[in-house]
Amino acid sequence: MEELFTVHVKIENSIELKSAEGDSVVMIMFTGHVTGTCFEGFVREGGVDTQIIGKAGGRHSLSARYMLQGQDYTGQACEMYIENNGYIGEVKGDMLFRTSPRIITNSQALSYLNVDALIGEGYPAEGGVDIKIFKVKS
């Protein structure tokens, strides 16, 4: 895998729906910034991670949706939409979870992100989590 960039998520606040009879939900609002070799920028207002937690701590899914604004590696201004879906389960080392990101970008230099297979990994960070985005090498 080739590491493309890291989204440094800063958790702002959250709201919860707890259910004694079934699944519970937490929605986590966040901001942050992005560093990496192909893109640098910030998380635009409105980022949210919705997590569904199974009764008695069973399955635990996450679905984050957010927009980035910044510059690609050529210096051109661009934006990205990321939908990042995954499951929190067995921890491997420091990694908290693995995801399957879908990216839509208006960067010509990064247009391959619109179709390439990508993997995201979440790691603990002060005030939030770091999401590393990787391109799967063929």
Side-chain angles (χ1 to χ4, degrees), residues 95-112:
M95 184 174 55
L96 300 170
F97 53 84
R98 187 168 270 164
T99 63
S100 299
R102 176 174 183 227
I103 294 180
I104 299 171
T105 183
N106 58 6
S107 164
Q108 287 185 340
L110 300 176
S111 62
Y112 64 90

Side-chain angles (χ1 to χ4, degrees), residues 75-91:
Q76 292 297 306
C78 65
E79 297 169 314
M80 282 189 211
Y81 164 79
I82 300 180
E83 180 178 329
N84 218 352
N85 297 301
Y87 290 92
I88 297 174
E90 186 178 319
V91 177

